[in-house]
Amino acid sequence: MRPEVIGRMAQQQHSVVEQVVVSPPAPKAGTASYIGSGMSIVGNIKCNGLAQVFGRFEGELRASKLLIGNGAQVEGSVIAQDVTVCGRVKGTIRAVRVKLNDGGAVEGDIFHRSLSIDENSQFEGSSRRVENPIDASSSVYAKDPQKKDMQNPAPAPLPSIDSDLQRVEGWFARSCAQMS
């Protein structure tokens, strides 16, 4: 080969590499946001698309669609259209559709329109079906006026049991006297 041909080939290869470095591929529509298994985040996150959590998150997490992966730990508030739990959540979930996959665990309240719990999942808390679960005003406390009073409960008056107690004591004394 002639030296000038080799030189042109090297320049072409060099310019292709420069082109890739200068303009990295644009993200495709519908790609997911990730919290990797080695990551730990404290704060609030809002994601317009799919979010996938494989690490540890503490705070409020909002997404259109959310996957809490196997081994993930979320502590706080989760708000999304669709939530799939394969890891652990400690806190409140508000979603139109919630699915606890095999091995998923939730400790807290779930406000939902649709809830699915696989056989080997764990759920400790309360579940409430509401029309608009993403809206915070649809919580149990907003719809149940008695719950509002339960935050500062006044002691309920105890019924008078003096007469009942005297009657039982009298009966017991008579029974003991008859036995002797």
Side-chain angles (χ1 to χ4, degrees), residues 74-156:
V74 174
E75 189 170 332
S77 182
V78 171
I79 302 165
Q81 288 291 318
D82 291 303
V83 174
T84 301
V85 180
C86 301
R88 298 193 161 282
V89 175
K90 185 175 183 179
T92 302
I93 297 176
R94 294 182 169 281
V96 175
R97 285 172 297 283
V98 179
K99 181 170 186 182
L100 274 63
N101 272 359
D102 189 28
V106 173
E107 182 182 332
D109 298 334
I110 300 176
F111 297 92
H112 60 88
R113 196 178 310 153
S114 168
L115 174 61
S116 163
I117 303 175
D118 284 352
E119 185 176 346
N120 291 321
S121 297
Q122 297 175 2
F123 174 45
E124 186 173 329
S126 67
S127 161
R128 176 109 174 164
R129 187 184 185 290
V130 292
E131 276 307 306
N132 190 4
I134 296 173
D135 180 16
S137 67
S138 65
S139 71
V140 173
Y141 302 109
K143 291 199 173 204
D144 191 351
Q146 292 177 345
K147 289 285 188 180
K148 193 175 191 180
D149 296 337
M150 292 305 289
Q151 291 172 357
N152 296 315

Side-chain angles (χ1 to χ4, degrees), residues 35 41-47 51 53 57-63 66 68 74-80 90-94 134 136:
I35 297 175
I41 295 177
V42 176
N44 297 329
I45 294 178
K46 182 176 180 182
C47 179
V53 179
F57 177 79
E58 185 177 332
E60 181 178 276
L61 180 56
R62 291 178 177 261
L66 177 62
I68 299 168
V74 174
E75 189 170 332
S77 182
V78 171
I79 302 165
K90 185 175 183 179
T92 302
I93 297 176
R94 294 182 169 281
I134 296 173

